[in-house]
Amino acid sequence: MRIRTRSSRNRELLQNATVKLSIHRPRYGPFTLDTQEEILAPNPTGREEFVVKNPATGENITSIYMSNERDARTAIYHANEIFKSGEWSKAPAQMRAGILSNLARSLEERIDEFAQLESMQTGRAIREMKAQMSRLPEWLDYYAGLLRTRQDFIAPTHGKLLNYVQRVPLGVVAQITVSSQCTLRDDDDVIENLQPFNHPLLIALKKIVPALAAGNSVIVKPSELAPISVLEFAEMVVAEGVPPGVLSVLPGYGRTIAKTLASDPFVRKVDITAGTSTGRTLGGIVGSNLASFTAELGGKAPIVVFNDADPISAANGAAFACFVASGQTCVSGTRLIVQDKIYDEFMRLFMQKVHIIRAGMGNPLNPACTMGPIISSRQLEHIENMVQRPGVGKILAGGQRLTGKSALDDFNFSKGSFFPPTVIADVATEDDLWREEIFGPVVVVKRFEASSLLPFNALDTDTRAAIARIWTRDVSRAHQVASEIEAGIVWVNTHHRNDPSSPWGGMKESGIGRENGIEALEAYSQSKSTIVNIASVEETRQAQDWFAEDDNTLEKRYG
């Protein structure tokens, strides 16, 4: 059931924005209060043009007029002004919940469209994107439900006092995604970032929804390489009744927009998805303003397979973990650590899956396609350089970029940035392939003996533990190992399970803070304690006159 909350103005914006000849427009610009009238014809003045390309074909998809520093400053100003106005920040929780529910229903109607758009701008297989897009309305429904059922509370106090505690929004919050082709400068340092363009709308929506639910004004800097779906979604948000200026989207470069947002004192929280080095740099900037900071950073996720695991389930799960999204996720299974007695059988089954994935590669828009390309030629070159170093290990499958035609559908691999599923054994634990995130379909494999401490050594000394996976039928061992692993998420006998209610984030150098769940909603708000004296006038005069001249014997309360 839809709750009727649209204004006629917002409905007009939606109708104008959706008059299209295809699932996307030929050009986009910043989506801010200042640019609401430029949706169909963005102004290029003072903005650099960036062409979004399809990594599978090399073809141009659309042009983006990239936001500049003035756009960012203006968006922050308007976001702060509308926050202070209370139009959204003080709107009843039930009203905000109704808008989020309506937005979920609208998004459901456009799942196929967004799946195709995501596949085009990231190169991911359409099968993956349809499955992922179909889940997104759950986040809107979940936080709408939290708003409808959440309760403030009365804190117990000493004496005749009423202490009620509320959650209130933070103010202006910035959500930043930094992509692989961005360099972020901090004084004399140049930081290369190797992510994250992989789930453009999912990454953004997981941050936007709890921030809006809490009543904040939100400014999003999406991935440079894949901003279209986030811009389209922002238009939907306004059309469903969120006041213009509450949500702004600034497509632009990290070196300009990210630093401008992070350094502005009006921005009270920054939430980033990026590489570890970028996280450090932006975290330092945010900290100087005493603002809140959440970071989803890189990781080198292990998969530990014990002798008693079901080899078929483990092989199937590992194949998905290693090669979904062409291995371009922060939770990709990049290290396979397999116990000795199951090693041969597991590897036989796992390699069968690898060959099936390779044989099924083709046009990502083909529903039968198993895996798409790497996001860019630059990232493809980086992966090749890492894999093809002399003495790096024994390549069991893959290892070289794909050229020629697909056996699946005759698709020409040479037009895009395709790299096959790659498996490498005998890699030294000191090697970069073992320790550093590759962000591609590359997995390293190592055998360990029953008495070996290799899994624990490999996990405990790793400083970038976002995710870990364990495969075993021994429930006691599963709990014991899971408790020993310092990772934000541990999956046991499963893979890549993510629900809006389940906390998501890494430990140590893999991140700080959590997405999803009640924790995310509270991270976008703060407690406000109001203490009201409910004693009578006579009691108040007696108890609270600290400097009374005629009574020094009565004990007074301090605090």
Side-chain angles (χ1 to χ4, degrees):
M1 176 180 176
R2 295 182 63 87
I3 301 171
R4 306 183 68 84
T5 57
R6 293 184 185 178
S7 67
S8 58
R9 172 61 180 152
N10 289 339
R11 190 179 300 111
E12 179 185 348
L13 279 171
L14 175 64
Q15 292 170 347
N16 289 340
T18 54
V19 178
K20 306 170 191 173
L21 299 177
S22 65
I23 63 171
H24 61 84
R25 296 195 292 276
R27 58 190 59 86
Y28 293 82
F31 183 83
T32 67
L33 186 63
D34 269 3
T35 62
Q36 293 287 306
E37 304 298 331
E38 302 174 7
I39 290 177
L40 295 180
N43 184 358
T45 305
R47 300 183 179 120
E48 182 179 340
E49 184 176 3
F50 180 87
V51 177
V52 178
K53 294 181 178 291
N54 185 329
T57 64
E59 297 173 350
N60 295 347
I61 300 176
T62 191
S63 291
I64 306 292
Y65 294 131
M66 302 292 263
S67 307
N68 54 38
E69 184 176 348
R70 180 184 178 279
D71 291 321
R73 298 291 183 197
T74 303
I76 294 169
Y77 172 79
H78 287 307
N80 190 53
E81 289 298 302
I82 198 166
F83 177 81
K84 291 190 296 183
S85 77
E87 186 176 359
W88 181 255
S89 60
K90 295 183 179 180
Q94 295 294 326
M95 189 194 96
R96 295 201 301 265
I99 290 174
L100 293 181
S101 294
N102 283 353
L103 186 55
R105 305 291 77 78
S106 293
L107 184 57
E108 284 174 341
E109 296 171 3
R110 296 182 64 184
I111 292 299
D112 288 344
E113 176 185 339
F114 273 110
Q116 186 174 355
L117 185 56
E118 295 285 72
S119 180
M120 290 174 62
Q121 65 178 348
T122 67
R124 289 187 60 180
I126 190 68
R127 178 189 176 196
E128 291 179 8
M129 297 320 300
K130 283 187 175 181
Q132 186 180 96
M133 292 298 101
S134 68
R135 298 287 315 280
L136 298 191
E138 296 177 28
W139 269 259
L140 291 155
D141 286 329
Y142 174 78
Y143 284 104
L146 284 186
L147 283 180
R148 292 188 177 99
T149 57
R150 65 175 293 276
Q151 298 177 346
D152 295 324
F153 69 93
I154 305 295
T157 56
H158 177 73
K160 293 187 176 182
L161 301 170
L162 175 66
N163 183 186
Y164 60 90
V165 183
Q166 301 167 290
R167 301 296 301 187
V168 297
L170 299 175
V172 180
V173 300
Q175 300 168 344
I176 299 169
T177 301
V178 183
S179 293
S180 64
Q181 290 186 334
C182 166
T183 58
L184 183 64
R185 296 180 181 273
D186 180 36
D187 298 327
D188 296 327
D189 297 328
V190 180
I191 301 167
E192 296 289 343
N193 304 291
L194 299 177
Q195 49 180 327
F197 39 77
N198 40 22
H199 320 287
L201 189 54
L202 173 63
I203 287 175
L205 191 140
K206 287 199 301 178
K207 300 178 189 296
I208 291 170
V209 177
L212 287 179
N216 297 286
S217 294
V218 184
I219 303 175
V220 180
K221 191 214 83 66
S223 163
E224 296 93 314
L225 303 179
I228 311 171
S229 56
V230 181
L231 288 162
E232 290 278 340
F233 179 73
E235 295 173 16
M236 294 177 62
V237 170
V238 171
E240 288 299 341
V242 175
V246 171
L247 175 63
S248 302
V249 179
L250 300 175
Y253 296 110
R255 62 180 178 266
T256 303
I257 304 305
K259 291 191 68 175
T260 301
L261 294 176
S263 61
D264 195 293
F266 281 130
V267 175
R268 301 316 305 147
K269 178 180 172 69
V270 175
D271 188 336
I272 72 166
T273 303
T276 301
S277 296
T278 301
R280 286 198 185 96
T281 299
L282 288 180
I285 297 172
V286 175
S288 67
N289 285 329
L290 300 180
S292 300
F293 185 59
T294 296
E296 183 187 348
L297 308 176
K300 191 70 175 175
I303 304 173
V304 182
V305 182
F306 288 95
N307 283 332
D308 63 347
D310 173 39
I312 296 176
S313 298
N316 292 342
F320 181 93
C322 296
F323 302 119
V324 71
S326 303
Q328 299 172 109
T329 80
C330 61
V331 298
S332 288
T334 53
R335 292 183 293 183
L336 268 172
I337 306 169
V338 187
Q339 204 163 8
D340 51 1
K341 293 180 181 178
I342 199 176
Y343 183 89
D344 291 339
E345 176 65 4
F346 171 86
M347 287 302 296
R348 181 184 69 82
L349 295 167
F350 180 71
M351 294 304 294
Q352 285 179 359
K353 286 294 180 183
V354 170
H355 294 312
I356 289 171
I357 295 169
R358 170 61 186 88
M361 292 180 68
N363 185 345
L365 294 177
N366 183 341
C369 177
T370 53
M371 194 176 86
I374 305 303
I375 188 65
S376 68
S377 57
R378 179 178 176 179
Q379 180 66 4
L380 176 65
E381 183 179 350
H382 166 74
I383 294 170
E384 273 195 316
N385 290 339
M386 290 291 291
V387 168
Q388 295 178 2
R389 290 171 296 139
V392 75
K394 182 180 180 181
I395 297 178
L396 305 180
Q400 292 184 328
R401 71 175 68 194
L402 297 182
T403 57
K405 299 293 184 69
S406 163
L408 174 69
D409 53 17
D410 211 36
F411 186 81
N412 188 353
F413 289 131
S414 301
K415 291 183 177 180
S417 302
F418 287 86
F419 199 81
T422 297
V423 184
I424 307 176
D426 302 329
V427 176
T429 55
E430 299 81 21
D431 192 272
D432 285 347
L433 265 183
W434 181 265
R435 303 191 65 83
E436 299 298 326
E437 188 174 24
I438 306 302
F439 227 60
V442 179
V443 58
V444 294
V445 186
K446 192 168 287 289
R447 182 199 304 253
F448 73 96
E449 296 179 359
S451 60
S452 171
L453 292 177
L454 174 63
F456 300 98
N457 290 339
L459 299 174
D460 291 347
T461 59
D462 183 24
T463 58
R464 291 202 280 172
I467 308 293
R469 299 167 178 88
I470 302 166
W471 290 88
T472 178
R473 293 188 223 194
D474 186 331
V475 177
S476 177
R477 173 192 285 138
H479 286 293
Q480 180 182 0
V481 175
S483 69
E484 293 293 330
I485 295 174
E486 293 186 77
I489 302 172
V490 179
W491 285 308
V492 179
N493 296 333
T494 189
H495 55 84
H496 216 92
R497 295 298 182 242
N498 182 21
D499 285 284
S501 58
S502 182
W504 181 277
M507 290 185 178
K508 297 184 285 189
E509 293 186 13
S510 276
I512 182 172
R514 294 292 180 268
E515 296 178 344
N516 294 349
I518 297 173
E519 194 171 354
L521 184 63
E522 293 195 342
Y524 278 106
S525 62
Q526 55 195 330
S527 64
K528 180 175 182 178
S529 179
T530 303
I531 303 170
V532 181
N533 174 33
I534 57 175
S536 68
V537 172
E538 292 75 13
E539 290 173 312
T540 300
R541 289 177 176 177
Q542 184 178 29
Q544 296 191 18
D545 187 359
W546 184 267
F547 298 103
E549 296 179 353
D550 57 348
D551 187 2
N552 293 322
T553 61
L554 184 64
E555 184 177 343
K556 306 290 187 179
R557 174 177 171 176
Y558 184 90

